[in-house]
Amino acid sequence: MPTRGLLELSTSTSAARADATLRALVTACEAVFPGRVRSYLLSGSYAAGDATPDSDLDLGVLFRGAVTDDERQRLFGLSDAIESLRAIRLDVVALDEEHYLRSAPASALEAISIYGDDVRGELALEPLTHALARALSAATFYIWQMRGLRQGLMWPLDYPDPESEFFGYERYGMFQGRGADEMYTPGARTIINCATMIATARLTHAGQRVPSKRRCVERYSGLAPGESSAWLANLYAACKAEWSYRVPDNPAERARLRALCAPMRAFENDFLTFARPLNEAALAVQDDYNWPRACDRLRWVAYPDLAAPDGAPSGS
């Protein structure tokens, strides 16, 4: 049923709560930024049609020309306000038309246009070297996040909490938003984000474009057939489809989650071993894109004889 005063979407997610939240955000953006937003692009689970009750709404707001810092901050404020009212997590990114149209991420391959111009036919994908740098950084950040953003992490890593039921992987599992009373609550979203981003980095290094977590899991079996790909598929299916990223209450299911968490430490350390020469190469070249991101990765997780140089830039 239409909600009075809210703009209609050009494409529905087929989920009433998600549609209502998106309509509220689009309506607010059109009022606050008149004539500035060219397109609204939805990616992730709601675009793919496999969202769970706890899935985020991943929305790119494409501004005409260059987006300003003030516009970015006001967009975040709108997003936070609507998220608090609608009780659905929003992951909203302000996109710069001048940059995005000529260097879009792989997620654009499966995005849907929900309002404004459908710009998908105008997009050129970013270089694979940039996609790899972002995947390496995202995977390393999630590894750091699951350990409470602690300083001084050093490869090889132990479990976040070796003595706890799920080895600590659930503790920072659900990010609740910048304004939440508790920024993190227990859950399985972060371990899924981390595991799929590790696999995405390896796939991208092999020359593949990976638009989503689901595609990552599907394609990883072709890159790494065997135990690790079967484990990743089982982890993803259980944590997302069965448990909606929540920690199950049933004792048998909790034992199953513990067994799925156990291989994660080796998966992380294997990734960090794989990433080391890529970090070294980025430090040696010191270009504007890869070098600062490699420095961030080495601030989050260093190696005994390799760390971010003092005074090095940040890619954040």
Side-chain angles (χ1 to χ4, degrees), residues 55-277:
S55 289
D56 295 348
L57 278 165
D58 300 296
L59 186 69
V61 179
L62 183 67
F63 283 79
R64 298 181 188 277
V67 60
T68 67
D69 289 340
D70 177 66
E71 287 171 329
R72 218 179 285 275
Q73 291 304 314
R74 284 193 288 162
L75 176 62
F76 291 155
L78 288 176
S79 174
D80 286 347
I82 289 169
E83 181 179 294
S84 66
L85 292 171
R86 297 284 174 169
I88 186 169
R89 274 269 299 133
L90 282 164
D91 187 357
V92 178
V93 178
L95 302 175
D96 184 313
E97 182 185 33
E98 295 178 355
H99 172 76
Y100 188 78
L101 293 185
R102 66 174 185 269
S103 191
S107 59
L109 294 169
E110 295 187 350
I112 61 174
S113 176
I114 63 164
Y115 194 82
D117 295 343
D118 187 348
V119 299
R120 290 173 296 174
E122 302 175 38
L123 300 178
L125 294 177
E126 67 183 339
L128 274 172
T129 53
H130 289 193
L132 176 59
R134 290 192 307 100
L136 291 167
S137 293
T140 308
F141 177 81
Y142 288 129
I143 289 170
W144 185 46
Q145 185 180 50
M146 288 191 293
R147 288 161 176 82
L149 307 181
R150 296 198 306 268
Q151 301 298 313
L153 289 180
M154 187 75 66
W155 171 92
L157 298 173
D158 198 354
Y159 290 115
D161 183 355
E163 304 304 318
S164 70
E165 183 179 6
F166 306 112
F167 310 102
Y169 285 118
E170 89 295 354
R171 183 168 299 168
Y172 300 96
M174 301 282 273
F175 179 65
Q176 298 301 316
R178 292 178 291 273
D181 293 336
E182 292 184 64
M183 189 171 290
Y184 294 96
T185 56
R189 186 194 303 277
T190 305
I191 191 174
I192 290 297
N193 288 345
C194 186
T196 54
M197 195 53 68
I198 285 173
T200 294
R202 290 183 174 272
L203 286 161
T204 306
H205 186 255
Q208 298 192 43
R209 304 276 185 180
V210 185
S212 65
K213 295 183 186 73
R214 182 177 64 177
R215 299 298 182 203
C216 165
V217 172
E218 292 171 356
R219 296 173 188 177
Y220 191 65
S221 62
L223 180 70
E227 291 184 5
S228 67
S229 60
W231 164 78
L232 179 63
N234 289 333
L235 178 74
Y236 179 76
C239 291
K240 179 173 182 177
E242 295 183 41
W243 302 325
S244 297
Y245 299 122
R246 300 170 187 173
V247 176
D249 295 323
N250 179 279
E253 295 299 283
R254 292 178 75 90
R256 186 171 160 220
L257 176 57
R258 175 181 169 85
L260 285 168
C261 288
M264 185 64 184
R265 178 181 62 175
F267 198 62
E268 293 171 301
N269 281 318
D270 286 348
F271 162 74
L272 292 169
T273 301
F274 157 80
R276 178 186 171 123

